[in-house]
Amino acid sequence: MKAVQLNWAKIMAVLCIMACVSDFIVVFVLGSHYEGYSQLKSTMSSLGASISPVSNIISTWWICIGIVFICFGIVFRKAFNSDSKNIKLGSLFIILYGLGEGIGSGLFKADRIDGKMTASFVVHDIFGGIGLLAALLLPLVLRKEIATKSKRAFYIFSWTVFLLGCITTLLFSFRFSSDQNNFIPLYKGLWQRLFMLNLYAYLVALSIIMYTKET
């Protein structure tokens, strides 16, 4: 790897870590400025809806971190073995996550009119679904591809992240249940945040590996 490439790898690794940590802080802070918003019971998408007092701020933030994740995905492929099919796929998944859950969620608001989903809401959900699926599959395709001092540990870590991602995704999907008073659909915000925490832990681990990677 050339020195310039290595510098970009380090820069993007740091930016990715900052984006992952900051996202939780931003959502928590902005959520406190939305009366009636619950970090455990409300989805993050509702923060970006037009009726939200912080709609424009959070939408801009999502677009910004989406760009960071897309750039990270591009540099990630160059930092590792770009000839590996799984590295290419992992890079694509990171880019799709940034595009879907970042830029797509920021541009299209999850608005409802008279309780019905708007076209913007549908597009928002489609982009979000693409980003979620990409994030879910990321550790599955990278589990054998990232060389570390303890490759078996990373392999087990990847499987753990994938399985926890499946569980939290399943729990989050119960938000569509007709019985919204049950514990699982009621705490949809909790399951979404646990999914994000799980994913961001994986992205932070990848960032650290990329930052410390030798030429």
Side-chain angles (χ1 to χ4, degrees):
M1 186 188 302
K2 295 179 181 179
V4 174
Q5 291 177 315
L6 179 62
N7 289 337
W8 271 114
K10 289 182 180 295
I11 290 170
M12 289 313 307
V14 172
L15 287 177
C16 183
I17 294 172
M18 290 175 62
C20 291
V21 174
S22 299
D23 197 25
F24 275 98
I25 298 173
V26 169
V27 170
F28 179 81
V29 172
L30 293 182
S32 66
H33 289 83
Y34 186 176
E35 186 176 356
Y37 183 83
S38 170
Q39 297 288 342
L40 299 181
K41 298 178 182 179
S42 304
T43 64
M44 295 181 191
S45 295
S46 59
L47 272 180
S50 296
I51 61 171
S52 166
V54 295
S55 175
N56 292 333
I57 299 174
I58 193 68
S59 293
T60 302
W61 169 251
W62 285 335
I63 292 171
C64 290
I65 63 171
I67 293 172
V68 170
F69 288 135
I70 289 172
C71 293
F72 177 78
I74 294 171
V75 175
F76 173 84
R77 175 177 172 176
K78 294 180 179 180
F80 292 91
N81 181 11
S82 59
D83 294 327
S84 166
K85 185 180 296 185
N86 284 341
I87 290 294
K88 291 178 181 178
L89 196 55
S91 171
L92 176 62
F93 284 162
I94 296 172
I95 292 170
L96 286 176
Y97 176 75
L99 180 64
E101 286 282 43
I103 295 177
S105 294
L107 291 177
F108 299 95
K109 298 181 182 297
D111 290 340
R112 292 178 181 269
I113 297 179
D114 297 327
K116 296 181 179 179
M117 293 186 297
T118 62
S120 178
F121 192 114
V122 174
V123 176
H124 175 94
D125 263 12
I126 291 173
F127 270 101
I130 292 172
L132 186 148
L133 182 60
L136 189 63
L137 295 177
L138 179 64
L140 198 60
V141 300
L142 293 182
R143 68 190 190 281
K144 293 181 178 180
E145 295 297 324
I146 306 299
T148 63
K149 291 182 179 179
S150 180
K151 194 167 185 178
R152 178 170 174 76
F154 184 81
Y155 179 83
I156 295 173
F157 175 59
S158 296
W159 268 114
T160 302
V161 170
F162 172 70
L163 293 175
L164 288 176
C166 289
I167 293 171
T168 50
T169 298
L170 177 62
L171 292 172
F172 184 58
S173 69
F174 278 98
R175 70 189 185 281
F176 298 114
S177 171
S178 57
D179 186 2
Q180 291 294 310
N181 292 319
N182 274 343
F183 178 81
I184 294 179
L186 181 63
Y187 285 90
K188 51 187 174 291
L190 173 62
W191 314 131
Q192 186 180 30
R193 284 158 179 77
L194 288 177
F195 176 87
M196 298 295 293
L197 178 63
N198 186 55
L199 167 65
Y200 283 173
Y202 196 74
L203 289 178
V204 167
L206 290 178
S207 298
I208 293 173
I209 293 170
M210 190 166 85
Y211 186 91
T212 57
K213 190 175 187 298
E214 299 294 334
T215 58

